[in-house]
Amino acid sequence: MTGQRRYDSLRRTAQALETRAEIARAARELFLARGWAETTVRDVAGAAGVSAPTVYAIYKNKAGLARALADAADLRGDVPRLLAELEDPAATPAGQLAAMAGFDRRLFERAADVILLVREAGRGEPELATVYGDGRRRADETRMHVFSSWPEGTLRPGVDAATAADVYAALCTIDVYTTLVSERGWTPERVEAWWRQALARELLA
């Protein structure tokens, strides 16, 4: 499997995000300002400068608008940059870990409010719970692609790709990020640097 094919899923995500950018940004602003229950498709269309049928064509219904929140968050993390860094022919496993840690830092730094809103609202809204779960699944798929592409012997003895994805998911979470930044006074850059070191230490032989 070539490097380009390996990241086809991530590339398709990046392309789709670009086409939905304006609607996603409008949805983000309105959901945060008014809440999920008080925001309508027409509200989002007006804020995005498009017609309501355009929003329906992309997101289908209000439940689909929940996905605009996830799109808005991913845009702020800069998926195209992550894709370029992962596919760089000169990228090493340590460099790919650093690229993923950098994406997560940007994502949490710029869109923590959206992620937390989706997660918390999802406790009572099945649509949002699905959106949050889908986001976690896509992240796991990308990590599995990366870890599975590495030559044998790259990962520490006893650590396979699935375990590596579990370790990554345990370390690089929004809860770890917000605890260190909001409660412990770390800078986002310091969190990212620690993630890079911790991931390399825990995963690489």
Side-chain angles (χ1 to χ4, degrees), residues 80-134:
R81 175 178 170 180
L82 173 61
L83 177 63
E85 291 173 341
L86 290 177
E87 291 190 327
D88 183 346
T92 63
Q96 290 182 317
L97 285 175
M100 291 188 290
F103 172 82
D104 284 334
R105 189 268 291 179
R106 294 190 301 273
L107 181 66
F108 298 153
E109 183 179 12
R110 301 170 183 175
D113 49 3
V114 169
I115 297 168
L116 292 173
L117 182 151
V118 172
R119 187 176 72 178
E120 295 307 308
R123 301 184 192 283
E125 295 282 352
E127 298 95 337
L128 294 184
T130 298
V131 169
Y132 183 75
D134 286 348

Side-chain angles (χ1 to χ4, degrees), residues 20 48 56 102 188:
R20 300 176 179 196
Y56 280 115

Side-chain angles (χ1 to χ4, degrees), residues 97 140 143-169 199 202-205:
L97 285 175
D140 277 341
R143 294 164 193 156
M144 284 291 293
H145 280 310
V146 172
F147 301 149
S148 298
S149 74
W150 290 348
E152 186 174 352
T154 300
L155 290 168
R156 291 181 59 186
V159 176
D160 58 14
T163 302
D166 291 343
V167 171
Y168 189 106
L199 289 167
E202 293 296 323
L203 299 181
L204 300 182

Side-chain angles (χ1 to χ4, degrees), residues 27-40 62 117:
R28 176 182 185 273
E29 293 175 3
L30 289 173
F31 279 125
L32 288 173
R34 301 181 184 180
W36 162 257
E38 300 303 319
T39 302
T40 67
K62 188 177 176 182
L117 182 151

Side-chain angles (χ1 to χ4, degrees), residues 12-13 15-27 41 44-45 48-72 75 131:
R12 287 193 296 270
T13 297
Q15 293 169 341
L17 288 172
E18 289 302 317
T19 64
R20 300 176 179 196
E22 290 305 318
I23 294 173
R25 292 187 183 102
V41 170
V44 173
V50 299
S51 67
T54 297
V55 178
Y56 280 115
I58 294 174
Y59 289 107
K60 309 304 181 187
N61 50 36
K62 188 177 176 182
L65 268 178
R67 299 195 177 277
L69 289 173
D71 287 352
L75 282 166
V131 169

